[in-house]
RNA sequence: CGGGGUGUGGCGCAGUUGAUAGCGCGCCCGGUUUGGGACCGGGAGGUCGAAGGUUUGAGUCCUUUCACCCCGACCA
């Protein structure tokens, strides 16, 4: 991609109505466009990051036999009434709308009921279980107050997976596989070191549910971390969990964190409420066990910005960066010719390059490359070409090296 | 939803006791520049969030309303 063709532009100033670091930087660098409070559009740059995050999640969900699908945003009222969750007093984030004939519809804030209703059609026998399905969906939640940029919006992208089982034991086994898969996801996203599986308040079937919390000053939650045992407890269940786990409260460090994933064990709750059963090997009807597993894709993007950004701008981890290389061109005809050639060469090797082919001064290009946060910067200039060299500067660390063509390719390969 | 704050060219801001809007950045044209956000000259662009009111006169005062931000509450 050539910078001259990107319709987005960088800005030296952040809009006054954004305080959150993630929103300020993402807007300044041209990754998102704010439509209204808590509602952001993703530009080509932003979409590339989202797709990279989604692909990592997709690969790990597929690796544990998740089957990708996509449900709908429009949901019928009746399905949610069977579990009492249509009621605004039970679920306070509903957006609701009506058909022309006044039939009430809900705009999806979650999909447990919708998934189960669909599965009613397909699950008949124990031979049809277990099954795990997931999707990347835009969730709509009528939050009373949107805040923290893209970290808590009214419209956001979430990966939600649902697994259905014949028994609690089978569900538990899969549940633990998902925890392991989630750990791999956060490792690959560059967040592994600071992400904990935490004990949080549970539902009817488990004492605690599990949340994945990433230490982050911009987060909304308070976490107590036990570094020795690698355990973290959500503040809301602190006393209970400390007693249960037999740990000394004084050994816990209090930190702010952002919830980047959440998993729930519903047991047979949903299927009993909705009357969804399978026929067991005993020939009798049994309720289906259900668990759900979420990862906030757009929130993860915000957390990554918050955690890695420095005074110059965003710093994308290698795996989620919109491009691998930012190619800066300085100088006249000779530099243009060589930079064009290098751009094509790198693209030919499958390396994603953002090529700054604009007629701008060097300082502007360097500053933009840093604000946008591409991991590797390569500079081509008349001066360097006289010695047949290139400059290589990693975004993280920022230490420049002068390299030959072969050395450069080795570095980027 | 309770409390607090802010709305003035694309962005960031100034605008005094009411007198017909200004600065920086950005943008357009011309020229000089070219390794850390260049410089000179010229230019375009605003019914001051909206509606109503007070006044000879409102960006400024009053009322209503909308939007946005922050704190709290909320977060199956």
């Amino acid at each position: 991609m050539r910078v001259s063709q990107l319709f987005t532009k960088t800005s030296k100033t952040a809009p006054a109505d954004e305080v959150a670091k993630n929103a300020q930087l993402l807007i300044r660098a041209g990754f998102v466009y704010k439509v209204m409070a808590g509602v952001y559009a993703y530009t080509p740059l932003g979409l590339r990051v989202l797709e990279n995050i989604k692909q990592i999640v997709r690969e790990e969900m597929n690796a544990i036999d998740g089957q990708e699908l996509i449900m709908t945003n429009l949901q019928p009222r009746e399905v949610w009434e069977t579990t009492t969750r249509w009621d605004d007093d039970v679920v306070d984030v509903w957006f609701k709308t009506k058909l022309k004939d006044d039939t009430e519809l809900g705009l999806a804030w979650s999909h447990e009921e919708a998934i189960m209703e669909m599965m009613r059609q397909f699950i008949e026998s124990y031979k049809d279980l277990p099954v795990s399905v997931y999707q990347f969906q835009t969730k709509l939640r009528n939050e009373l107050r949107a805040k923290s940029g893209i970290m808590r919006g009214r419209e956001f992208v979430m990966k939600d997976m649902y697994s259905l089982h014949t028994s609690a034991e089978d569900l538990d086994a899969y549940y633990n596989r998902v925890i392991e898969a989630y750990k791999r996801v956060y490792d690959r996203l560059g967040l592994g070191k600071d992400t904990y599986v935490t004990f949080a308040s549970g539902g009817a079937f488990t004492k605690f549910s599990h949340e994945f919390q990433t230490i982050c000053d911009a987060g909304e939650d308070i976490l107590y971390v036990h570094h020795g045992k690698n355990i973290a407890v959500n503040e809301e269940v602190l006393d209970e969990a400390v007693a249960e786990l037999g740990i000394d409260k004084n050994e816990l460090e209090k930190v702010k964190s952002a919830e980047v994933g959440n998993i729930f064990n519903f047991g047979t709750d949903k299927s009993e409420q909705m009357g969804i059963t399978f026929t067991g090997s005993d020939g009798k009807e049994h309720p289906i066990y259900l668990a759900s597993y979420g990862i906030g894709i757009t929130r993860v993007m915000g957390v990554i910005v918050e955690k890695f950004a420095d005074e110059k701008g965003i710093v994308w981890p290698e795996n989620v960066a919109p491009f691998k290389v930012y190619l800066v061109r300085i100088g006249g005809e000779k530099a243009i010719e060589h930079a064009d050639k290098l751009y094509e060469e790198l693209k030919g090797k499958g390396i994603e390059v953002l090529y700054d082919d604009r007629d701008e001064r060097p300082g502007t290009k360097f500053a933009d490359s840093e604000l946008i946060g591409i991991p590797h910067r390569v500079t081509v200039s008349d001066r360097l070409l006289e010695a047949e060299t290139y400059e290589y500067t990693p975004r993280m660390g920022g230490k420049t090296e002068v390299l030959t063509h072969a050395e450069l390719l080795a570095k980027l390969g």
Side-chain angles (χ1 to χ4, degrees):
Chain A
M1 186 81 196
R2 288 172 180 260
V3 174
S4 64
Q5 293 179 327
L6 268 185
F7 72 82
T8 52
K9 293 173 182 173
T10 58
S11 168
K12 285 186 214 176
T13 54
D17 68 359
E18 290 286 8
V19 171
K21 180 164 60 172
N22 70 84
Q24 287 191 346
L25 288 173
L26 288 168
I27 291 171
R28 282 185 55 207
F31 286 82
V32 304
Y33 166 77
K34 182 180 196 167
V35 176
M36 62 180 102
V39 180
Y40 295 84
Y42 291 79
T43 66
L45 280 178
L47 181 60
R48 279 179 163 263
V49 175
L50 278 188
E51 291 300 322
N52 288 342
I53 295 170
K54 282 166 66 176
Q55 187 55 29
I56 288 171
V57 174
R58 177 178 287 125
E59 287 170 13
E60 296 299 340
M61 296 306 103
N62 289 347
I64 55 171
D65 304 320
Q67 300 181 49
E68 186 170 354
L69 51 70
I70 186 157
M71 299 299 290
T72 63
N73 262 310
L74 293 175
Q75 299 190 339
R77 167 182 177 160
E78 295 72 24
V79 172
W80 290 89
E81 283 185 326
T82 61
T83 60
T84 76
R85 295 213 288 182
W86 178 259
D87 191 338
D88 289 326
D89 292 332
V90 176
V91 172
D92 65 358
V93 294
W94 271 118
F95 279 108
K96 292 178 179 175
T97 187
K98 283 180 182 176
L99 294 179
K100 296 287 188 191
D101 68 1
D102 283 344
T103 302
E104 282 192 282
L105 299 177
L107 274 51
W109 61 276
S110 188
H111 287 82
E112 281 91 4
E113 279 78 347
I115 290 276
M116 287 302 274
E117 185 60 25
M118 183 181 77
M119 286 306 182
R120 182 200 299 281
Q121 187 76 28
F122 298 105
I123 307 299
E124 297 180 290
S125 137
Y126 70 95
K127 294 173 186 172
D128 299 323
L129 294 169
V131 65
S132 179
V133 297
Y134 73 95
Q135 63 174 344
F136 295 97
Q137 252 287 5
T138 298
K139 305 291 187 190
L140 302 168
R141 295 189 185 178
N142 201 348
E143 298 278 359
L144 228 38
R145 182 187 163 203
K147 58 183 285 196
S148 307
I150 65 169
M151 289 175 64
R152 183 168 174 184
R154 297 196 168 93
E155 176 172 334
F156 57 95
V157 178
M158 186 171 186
K159 186 283 302 181
D160 44 323
M161 182 160 80
Y162 307 88
S163 71
L164 288 71
H165 307 267
T166 57
S167 69
E169 295 70 34
D170 194 55
L171 184 151
D172 285 344
Y174 191 74
Y175 190 94
N176 288 323
R177 284 180 73 196
V178 177
I179 288 178
E180 294 309 311
Y182 270 36
K183 287 179 182 170
R184 288 193 293 274
V185 166
Y186 296 115
D187 280 342
R188 293 177 65 184
L189 291 172
L191 296 173
K193 187 167 60 71
D194 286 331
T195 300
Y196 288 86
V197 186
T198 73
F199 294 87
S201 58
F205 293 84
T206 47
K207 195 170 182 84
F208 304 111
S209 69
H210 291 103
E211 285 176 352
F212 285 78
Q213 293 275 358
T214 303
I215 296 173
C216 176
D217 287 336
E220 297 183 320
D221 293 329
I222 302 292
L223 210 60
Y224 287 82
V225 179
H226 191 294
H227 291 285
K229 294 186 174 174
N230 210 35
I231 286 174
V233 178
N234 201 299
E235 186 173 47
E236 58 189 15
V237 295
L238 181 61
D239 293 328
E240 210 181 340
V242 164
E244 183 86 4
L245 300 166
I247 48 180
D248 183 355
K249 207 166 158 181
N250 295 320
E251 291 175 6
L252 299 173
E253 186 197 353
K254 182 180 180 181
V255 294
K256 289 185 80 175
S257 66
E259 181 185 335
V260 291
N262 200 337
I263 57 187
F264 278 99
N265 182 347
F266 285 93
T268 56
D269 196 16
K270 288 282 166 219
S271 59
E272 284 178 21
Q273 284 179 305
M274 297 178 73
I276 302 174
T277 58
F278 67 93
T279 306
S281 54
D282 57 4
K284 292 176 182 162
E285 299 286 308
H286 300 277
I288 296 173
Y289 288 79
L290 171 72
S292 71
Y293 319 84
I295 292 178
I297 302 295
T298 41
R299 176 178 286 181
V300 160
M301 180 170 166
V303 168
I304 289 171
V305 173
E306 291 279 344
K307 285 192 73 72
F308 299 118
D310 61 19
E311 63 287 343
K312 290 176 176 174
I314 298 170
V315 182
W316 294 111
E318 189 94 19
N319 287 347
V320 302
F323 293 91
K324 287 279 176 287
V325 173
Y326 193 99
L327 177 57
V328 172
R329 186 186 79 203
I330 301 170
E333 266 179 51
K334 194 177 167 198
I336 291 173
E337 188 185 318
H338 280 257
D340 282 357
K341 211 172 113 189
L342 182 62
Y343 173 54
E344 294 301 331
E345 182 184 8
L346 292 175
K347 274 201 305 180
K349 292 181 176 298
I351 297 170
E352 293 173 321
V353 182
L354 186 56
Y355 173 25
D356 199 338
D357 61 336
R358 297 174 299 173
D359 183 23
E360 290 286 347
R361 295 173 67 85
T364 302
K365 297 188 178 189
F366 292 146
D368 278 348
S369 81
E370 285 153 351
L371 175 61
I372 294 170
I374 310 294
H376 309 283
R377 184 174 83 210
V378 173
T379 304
V380 171
S381 73
D382 291 331
R383 197 174 82 192
L384 289 161
L385 286 171
E386 282 173 25
E388 294 186 33
T389 56
Y390 303 86
E391 269 179 12
Y392 165 79
T393 310
R395 178 65 180 84
M396 207 175 284
K399 195 170 181 302
T400 296
E401 297 174 69
V402 178
L403 304 175
T404 65
H405 186 260
E407 287 168 340
L408 178 68
L409 291 187
K411 181 78 82 176
L412 299 176

